[in-house]
Amino acid sequence: MYQVVPGGAGGTITDVIPKQKHSKDTRPLVGAGVIGLVLVVAAVTAWCYYIASIRKAELLKTQLLDLNKDGYIIRNQGGSIVFRMDFRSGTLDLDSCSKEGEMLSCGQTTDRKLNFFIETVRPKDTVQCYRVRWEELVPDIPVEHAMTYTFAHWYGGAVSAIQHWPVSIKGQQAPKPFVTSDIYANRNEFGGILESYWLSSNATAIKINNSVPFHLGWNDTEKTMSFQARYNDSPFKPNPGEEPCAELSYRVCVGLDVTSMHKYMVRRYFNKPNKVPAKVMFRHPIWSTWALHKTDIDQEKVLEYAANIRKYKFNCSQLEIDDRYTRRYGEYEFDPTKFPNATAMFQKLKSDGFLTSLWIHPFVNYDSENFHTCVERGLFVREPTGRLPALVRWWNGIGGILDFTNPEARDWFSSKLRSLRSRYGVSSFKFDAGETSFLPWKFSTRTPIQDPSFFTRRYTEMAIPYNDRAELRSGYQSQNISCFFRPIDRDSVWGYELGLKSIIPTVLTISILGYQFILPDMIGGNAYLNRTEGNHVLPDRELYIRWLELIAFMPSMQFSIPPWEYDNEVVEIARKYTALHESIVAPRVLELASEVLDTGDPIIRPLWWIATGDETAYKIDSQFLIGDDLMVAPVLEPGKQERDIYLPAGRWKSYKGERFDIKEPLHLTDYPVDLDEIAYFVWV
């Protein structure tokens, strides 16, 4: 029955049992077991990947920001998405990302290395900020992030020829240099006053760092604004000796409401004025010769203009002699043909109680006596190699443009202004132009500048010795120049394109950018040929009156076309509103102006400033506040003697004596406003 089998050395004896074959009926069970084992392994693997992805997702979160390979989103405290930014210049390799404290950083995209980080900063309990930087390590690769703007209404950036409030995006624009430009001549460019700062109605703000070679684009189909940094095909330059490796760096901040958010950003990121201009500039109007006489100005016309100001019993803070009182552009002596005795003219003006300012600019035309001197001394901006002066074209011809990064050019220009002041007793100057659009696309300066708009900043600094009464039309990081800033020339039309309707949106935009001492150009516009309503020599009478009423509630008033060019009724209306400006508006503006030195808060404010929870207030572009307690609603439509008015919640008293004690916003429909009236309401 058993068989004994000898083992090897030290072996054993084992019972041997015959093997049995599996039947075909057991094979499906084995297959099922194998499949089950595979499923278990797959489930475990999937779980491991899930846990890893959860950990990665947690890794790529910081406070209320979620980062992914294509961009990031930011939520508010309530969990709602308030900000979205997409990466257009590459896809992050999330495996290269890490988190240390409040810093998320990544080392490469899917095809190249880079330096990228987002750092969370909480500067105060009500504000949370995110520092973002994307730095390319390879030259000439642009960095582009695209912000979705549909979550809110946006404000800020730059003045424009067609100005809306809030910002209105139309069409598609590839990113272009965000630099100061003359928008009267180039109406699709960015304006002469700009800052790389935007604020939204959902209490989110973005500030692009000043070191960025910043280009801005947009797409109204995708509903995005494109923020791009690049050096190729651009007037921006890297620092001397550095590779042109682009870096896009900025800060996004989220707060509780739009007003407190803006207050934080202004205090943190903007220069502030260090003094208030002369009080009389707020109280009494400036009178300019420009719109009335253009370049056809002479001694007799100046004296007649001044005599009429006194004859019709108007006050005057200063009389402004505009273009062109010299023989050639770039000279600083009065044309003896047009002004045979300039000294006697100034003495007469002084004896009649007038202070006088002069129009000035940064150009020296090639036919000027000073052109050769400036070439010989190297005072002009130069072509890229730096060997030759660059010739530029401006609205009055061709010449050189003074290089205000060059201390010698600054001294030469300053000496010419001082000479005019000492010889004639000139009170100040109207500094025209200064935009970078007058520079060549490629240029060089004595002191290298990376951002072309820094040329604008250098030009505005020339106004500092005269800032009690000076006037500038361009500005970049220039809030602390502490003088009046004037939006570019307005046309004598009703609409949003450099017309009457553009004034409130433009002033609100400039205010949000930190410029509070605002001179909103000449009453009635400039009466340019083919750009005047009805193609008349004078602005339309009704337009002029409505323009006058609006400007009476601005920080400063400026006439050129005088009211006596119309009729006695217009003269009386002008007297009424210059008196109202002096008695009601100027005292409040001066009170607010002194606060600007500490806070930077706007003097002219949007309605949402006191109604942050009301969606309607974010879209109103035809009313404004002076401080928090004087609300103005001008008529801006031709043929109208009524208008709809939005009244924020509160206790208000109208200029007619009506009282409104309302706990909710009130819409006054077809509120009557006669031709010689402007609707305004005072908080009581």
Side-chain angles (χ1 to χ4, degrees):
M1 181 177 287
Y2 298 99
Q3 181 181 3
V4 177
V5 180
T12 59
I13 298 173
T14 307
D15 294 334
V16 178
I17 302 175
K19 292 181 180 180
Q20 296 180 352
K21 292 183 178 181
H22 292 290
S23 69
K24 291 182 179 180
D25 295 334
T26 65
R27 291 178 183 176
L29 296 174
V30 174
V34 172
I35 292 172
L37 180 61
V38 170
L39 290 174
V40 169
V41 171
V44 171
T45 302
W47 177 256
C48 291
Y49 274 111
Y50 173 71
I51 294 299
S53 66
I54 291 293
R55 289 175 178 170
K56 176 61 72 174
E58 289 303 316
L59 171 69
L60 300 179
K61 289 178 181 285
T62 175
Q63 299 292 335
L64 300 172
L65 181 145
D66 296 349
L67 174 68
N68 60 59
K69 61 186 177 63
D70 298 313
Y72 61 90
I73 60 172
I74 299 174
R75 304 176 189 274
N76 61 17
Q77 294 290 345
S80 300
I81 296 175
V82 293
F83 189 85
R84 173 179 171 176
M85 189 75 86
D86 294 325
F87 303 144
R88 295 291 173 84
S89 47
T91 302
L92 290 178
D93 178 357
L94 298 183
D95 290 332
S96 73
C97 300
S98 61
K99 183 178 181 182
E100 183 175 344
E102 298 298 335
M103 176 87 75
L104 280 173
S105 59
C106 303
Q108 65 182 58
T109 66
T110 53
D111 62 357
R112 65 187 183 276
K113 291 184 177 180
L114 84 162
N115 288 330
F116 173 83
F117 74 75
I118 299 179
E119 180 184 16
T120 303
V121 181
R122 195 172 183 88
K124 54 190 299 188
D125 291 342
T126 57
V127 176
Q128 186 147 295
C129 294
Y130 303 90
R131 293 178 57 225
V132 182
R133 186 179 76 181
W134 180 303
E135 179 187 4
E136 290 290 346
L137 304 179
V138 178
D140 294 325
I141 296 179
V143 182
E144 184 175 333
H145 293 179
M147 180 190 78
T148 300
Y149 60 75
T150 54
F151 296 109
H153 305 291
W154 286 88
Y155 313 91
V159 296
S160 59
I162 302 175
Q163 195 83 53
H164 290 286
W165 180 271
V167 172
S168 176
I169 303 291
K170 292 184 179 179
Q172 292 82 42
Q173 172 64 55
K176 61 182 180 179
F178 191 71
V179 295
T180 57
S181 300
D182 173 7
I183 53 172
Y184 198 86
N186 307 292
R187 300 204 172 193
N188 293 321
E189 299 302 319
F190 305 114
I193 299 175
L194 88 176
E195 303 290 336
S196 52
Y197 166 72
W198 287 266
L199 174 73
S200 83
S201 58
N202 63 12
T204 305
I206 181 168
K207 175 68 177 72
I208 311 297
N209 287 357
N210 294 333
S211 60
V212 172
F214 182 48
H215 298 65
L216 178 66
W218 54 86
N219 188 311
D220 68 349
T221 302
E222 298 179 352
K223 308 299 182 187
T224 56
M225 292 172 61
S226 297
F227 302 139
Q228 188 189 74
R230 75 168 192 260
Y231 291 111
N232 58 315
D233 188 29
S234 170
F236 288 88
K237 305 170 188 174
N239 290 319
E242 293 185 1
E243 292 282 347
C245 295
E247 174 189 310
L248 181 60
S249 53
Y250 54 90
R251 195 169 284 218
V252 180
C253 295
V254 182
L256 295 181
D257 65 80
V258 61
T259 301
S260 62
M261 184 72 260
H262 179 67
K263 288 185 175 186
Y264 168 77
M265 297 298 287
V266 167
R267 287 157 176 74
R268 177 67 178 82
Y269 295 109
F270 286 174
N271 295 321
K272 286 186 282 296
N274 51 44
K275 60 177 287 189
V276 177
K279 292 181 179 180
V280 69
M281 298 288 289
F282 295 92
R283 291 176 177 145
H284 297 162
I286 300 166
W287 295 79
S288 168
T289 63
W290 172 246
L292 181 62
H293 294 297
K294 305 297 191 295
T295 59
D296 188 25
I297 187 65
D298 59 37
Q299 182 169 328
E300 182 181 350
K301 289 174 181 175
V302 170
L303 292 174
E304 181 185 15
Y305 193 50
N308 279 330
I309 294 170
R310 291 290 181 249
K311 174 183 175 182
Y312 288 97
K313 297 180 173 55
F314 286 97
N315 288 320
C316 175
S317 59
Q318 66 185 23
L319 178 64
E320 191 172 86
I321 301 176
D322 213 295
D323 182 13
R324 115 184 214 185
Y325 55 89
T326 61
R327 286 189 301 173
R328 298 179 183 88
Y329 295 105
E331 297 176 0
Y332 301 88
E333 293 293 336
F334 278 80
D335 181 346
T337 302
K338 300 174 76 174
F339 294 86
N341 195 338
T343 300
M345 179 187 73
F346 277 95
Q347 290 173 346
K348 171 63 174 171
L349 291 171
K350 182 178 180 181
S351 67
D352 289 343
F354 288 96
L355 294 176
T356 309
S357 66
L358 295 177
W359 175 77
I360 206 74
H361 55 82
F363 307 102
V364 179
N365 279 11
Y366 69 89
D367 60 350
S368 164
E369 292 179 353
N370 290 318
F371 185 81
H372 180 73
T373 300
C374 292
V375 170
E376 288 294 310
R377 295 175 60 179
L379 305 185
F380 289 140
V381 171
R382 305 177 81 79
E383 45 77 44
T385 67
R387 291 192 295 267
L388 296 172
L391 287 180
V392 301
R393 182 181 295 276
W394 63 298
W395 68 88
N396 277 328
I398 297 173
I401 184 168
L402 291 168
D403 177 4
F404 293 103
T405 75
N406 180 349
E408 190 176 352
R410 294 165 69 92
D411 289 345
W412 182 84
F413 184 71
S414 294
S415 70
K416 298 300 183 183
L417 303 191
R418 287 195 302 271
S419 176
L420 286 167
R421 170 175 267 189
S422 62
R423 184 171 180 180
Y424 299 113
V426 172
S427 63
S428 192
F429 297 92
K430 170 186 177 177
F431 291 82
D432 214 350
E435 296 91 347
T436 63
S437 56
F438 294 108
L439 299 171
W441 178 251
K442 296 289 186 179
F443 63 91
S444 64
T445 50
R446 174 68 65 86
T447 302
I449 56 176
Q450 287 69 56
D451 181 346
S453 292
F454 195 67
F455 178 86
T456 298
R457 164 68 197 192
R458 283 292 186 225
Y459 177 58
T460 63
E461 290 170 357
M462 305 309 297
I464 290 176
Y466 311 98
N467 58 10
D468 258 5
R469 295 169 173 273
E471 170 189 330
L472 284 160
R473 86 168 197 190
S474 57
Y476 176 66
Q477 301 176 34
S478 304
Q479 297 91 341
N480 60 349
I481 301 301
S482 308
C483 69
F484 281 96
F485 285 83
R486 172 182 66 89
I488 203 164
D489 302 16
R490 303 288 111 172
D491 288 329
S492 300
V493 296
W494 289 91
Y496 284 102
E497 183 172 348
L498 298 179
L500 178 61
K501 287 185 181 178
S502 73
I503 292 176
I504 295 174
T506 299
V507 170
L508 290 174
T509 298
I510 294 172
S511 296
I512 287 295
L513 299 180
Y515 298 87
Q516 309 308 342
F517 307 140
I518 300 171
L519 174 63
D521 204 40
M522 300 169 190
I523 292 167
N526 286 263
Y528 291 130
L529 186 65
N530 300 324
R531 289 182 173 172
T532 298
E533 201 75 40
N535 288 324
H536 301 300
V537 175
L538 292 176
D540 175 76
R541 182 179 184 275
E542 181 189 9
L543 173 69
Y544 183 89
I545 292 170
R546 292 305 191 190
W547 206 304
L548 165 63
E549 292 163 353
L550 168 58
I551 299 305
F553 284 85
M554 290 292 166
S556 185
M557 300 181 71
Q558 185 178 45
F559 285 100
S560 184
I561 302 291
W564 54 84
E565 288 290 314
Y566 293 93
D567 51 51
N568 288 335
E569 183 184 12
V570 176
V571 171
E572 288 303 318
I573 293 172
R575 287 184 185 138
K576 170 184 175 180
Y577 281 100
T578 53
L580 182 148
H581 177 85
E582 183 176 0
S583 63
I584 295 178
V585 178
R588 185 67 181 115
V589 166
L590 282 166
E591 183 181 354
L592 294 164
S594 64
E595 297 174 7
V596 167
L597 307 186
D598 296 322
T599 67
D601 290 347
I603 293 173
I604 304 298
R605 301 173 181 177
L607 264 62
W608 51 251
W609 192 266
I610 61 170
T612 58
D614 187 354
E615 172 66 17
T616 301
Y618 289 107
K619 297 179 286 187
I620 292 178
D621 68 352
S622 63
Q623 298 176 224
F624 60 94
L625 295 163
I626 301 175
D628 291 347
D629 49 14
L630 177 55
M631 194 273 288
V632 186
V635 173
L636 305 175
E637 298 280 354
K640 296 285 188 179
Q641 296 201 21
E642 68 282 324
R643 65 155 294 164
D644 295 343
I645 295 175
Y646 165 90
L647 208 56
R651 300 178 64 190
W652 298 95
K653 181 181 178 181
S654 80
Y655 70 105
K656 299 178 181 181
E658 306 153 311
R659 291 183 175 268
F660 301 88
D661 191 352
I662 49 176
K663 296 182 179 179
E664 298 290 336
L666 178 65
H667 292 267
L668 303 175
T669 305
D670 291 333
Y671 187 82
V673 186
D674 291 341
L675 180 60
D676 65 341
E677 294 181 332
I678 181 172
Y680 63 94
F681 300 77
V682 178
W683 184 278
V684 294

